[in-house]
Amino acid sequence: MPASNPARVTVTGWDPATWEQTVSRTFTVPAEAVVAEADDVASPLVELCADNFPGAGTSEEGPRAVADTRLRQLFDKDFSRMAVVLIDRETEATGVGYVDTSGKLTRLSGEPSEDFGDTPKEENAVFAQDGSAVWFTETDSSDRVRIASRSLAGEHAVTERAVGDADYMDGAGLALAGDPVRGFFGKEVRISPDGSKATAFITWKGYNVVATPRRSALFKVDGVKATGIPSGADCHPYGWVDDRNVLCGPRLGKTEEPKRKNSFWTLDTSRLDGTADLPKGALGDPIIPATDRKNTVRAISPDGKQLIFASLQGTRLEFFVSAVAPGATPKKITAAAADKALGVGDVVEWR
């Protein structure tokens, strides 16, 4: 984006009871920051910006689903800073840094070495929630990826966290979990509230539940202990409602079971036994009635007892709140401001 007309990311807070705006913070994106897929550089900011520029409108599928973990972790805990990946357009070297709400850019990566060697490729910048460091990945010419972090203090020293083979991990991103914090490189990673589990899409294995290791790791075949979600669960994971249960929707956008059509349900991951069979009692009954509407989860409450979903009926887009309980009756959100709060962008957190 040209320096004369920079892109901006605005994070807006809303009271979900009254739909009154509570806070708004804007981050000016530096001209050298990666914001578009054309740069061929991995950054959660690219995904955040995709289809979210002004005038993009609503797709035929309605608003996007609740954001995965790495989009929330673009920002520190208080949304005072946003991590960025920076690119040298001439050498295509990339490094990491962050911007604050005043527009100040802080570069954490040093200048490339003058020695003959690989071009620095630091990508996937995300914030440790305590604000102490920006974590990132770096892939070398042998297609090996390392997970590392740069401290915000002092000389921004690098700490290496994990190294592994990145074959068959195209499209993977970085998500953080736990205390002490660990980094996990994988696809569609969603971390449980206590950080002990995650869901992730693993090439050749589909959606899996992973017990998060005590150290940073790559979520891939033979790279981490994972339990496959049986096909009988028909589960596309939207997120966690507690430390055991995942909120699911139809895996391919449709289901063969009539009562689950365009509905949601929970999956008790503690019952999964690693076999292809769905254990008895693991799958909850449908939460909302089956309809021909296209329904997408936009947010899950922090206590896991409520969800907000977008419902597309033809070209009419509406929003509903529902208890996370079988047979719940959705309640339409009628406040006019809810359209602005929920109709565009990504919902990155319900706190």
Side-chain angles (χ1 to χ4, degrees):
M1 305 295 293
S4 60
N5 185 28
R8 293 179 175 85
V9 173
T10 298
V11 181
T12 306
W14 303 83
D15 183 333
T18 64
W19 294 103
E20 294 180 355
Q21 184 175 314
T22 58
V23 66
S24 181
R25 292 176 178 165
T26 297
F27 300 88
T28 299
V29 181
E32 57 267 56
V34 174
V35 295
E37 293 180 359
D39 291 316
D40 197 28
V41 177
S43 170
L45 187 58
V46 173
E47 182 177 341
L48 186 76
C49 291
D51 300 325
N52 280 335
F53 285 106
T58 301
S59 74
E60 293 181 357
E61 300 300 319
R64 298 195 295 190
V66 56
D68 63 19
T69 298
R70 66 182 181 142
L71 291 193
R72 167 62 184 91
Q73 292 174 345
L74 264 172
F75 310 92
D76 62 5
K77 182 178 181 179
D78 298 324
F79 293 95
S80 62
R81 293 170 290 194
M82 181 179 75
V84 291
V85 176
L86 305 169
I87 186 169
D88 183 317
R89 305 290 175 182
E90 183 177 5
T91 66
E92 298 185 351
T94 55
V96 298
Y98 66 90
V99 292
D100 62 22
T101 53
S102 73
K104 179 184 176 182
L105 167 65
T106 300
R107 300 174 185 272
L108 301 179
S109 304
E111 294 298 323
S113 170
E114 294 183 0
D115 296 334
F116 185 77
D118 286 343
T119 304
K121 291 289 185 182
E122 297 180 2
E123 306 175 288
N124 289 302
V126 291
F127 247 110
Q129 293 300 280
D130 64 4
S132 64
V134 168
W135 287 57
F136 61 94
T137 64
E138 186 169 24
T139 305
D140 64 20
S141 55
S142 300
D143 206 26
R144 288 181 62 79
V145 65
R146 69 167 179 158
I147 299 172
S149 64
R150 286 189 179 273
S151 171
L152 267 63
E155 298 298 317
H156 312 312
V158 176
T159 301
E160 188 169 291
R161 307 290 182 168
V163 178
D165 186 342
D167 283 347
Y168 305 107
M169 296 197 72
D170 293 345
L174 182 63
L176 308 181
D179 183 15
V181 66
R182 294 98 69 203
F184 301 116
F185 186 60
K187 301 179 182 180
E188 298 183 48
V189 177
R190 298 177 186 271
I191 306 292
S192 67
D194 67 354
S196 67
K197 293 182 179 180
T199 56
F201 185 88
I202 298 178
T203 302
W204 299 331
K205 293 187 68 175
Y207 286 109
N208 281 250
V209 176
V210 181
T212 54
R214 294 184 178 181
R215 296 182 178 180
S216 299
L218 278 64
F219 285 175
K220 61 176 297 182
V221 171
D222 299 328
V224 68
K225 184 178 180 181
T227 302
I229 296 178
S231 59
D234 192 21
C235 179
H236 172 89
Y238 279 112
W240 295 79
V241 298
D242 55 37
D243 297 326
R244 292 174 47 180
N245 290 280
V246 170
L247 181 64
C248 302
R251 186 164 51 91
L252 299 178
K254 57 183 179 180
T255 179
E256 295 180 359
E257 193 172 350
K259 70 177 184 178
R260 297 186 186 276
K261 185 177 180 181
N262 295 323
S263 187
F264 315 114
W265 51 90
T266 58
L267 173 68
D268 186 345
T269 64
S270 68
R271 294 176 179 265
L272 301 183
D273 55 13
T275 69
D277 297 324
L278 180 66
K280 185 177 180 180
L283 201 65
D285 288 330
I287 292 173
I288 63 174
T291 66
D292 62 357
R293 293 169 172 256
K294 295 179 180 179
N295 301 315
T296 306
V297 176
R298 290 291 274 152
I300 302 171
S301 66
D303 63 6
K305 294 182 178 180
Q306 295 183 88
L307 64 89
I308 292 173
F309 66 95
S311 184
L312 191 63
Q313 188 177 41
T315 60
R316 184 174 64 182
L317 179 64
E318 299 173 313
F319 300 96
F320 293 83
V321 62
S322 171
V324 179
T329 301
K331 181 179 179 181
K332 184 177 177 179
I333 299 172
T334 58
D339 289 340
K340 183 178 180 180
L342 298 167
V344 296
D346 287 271
V347 179
V348 294
E349 184 178 28
W350 185 350
R351 61 164 58 172

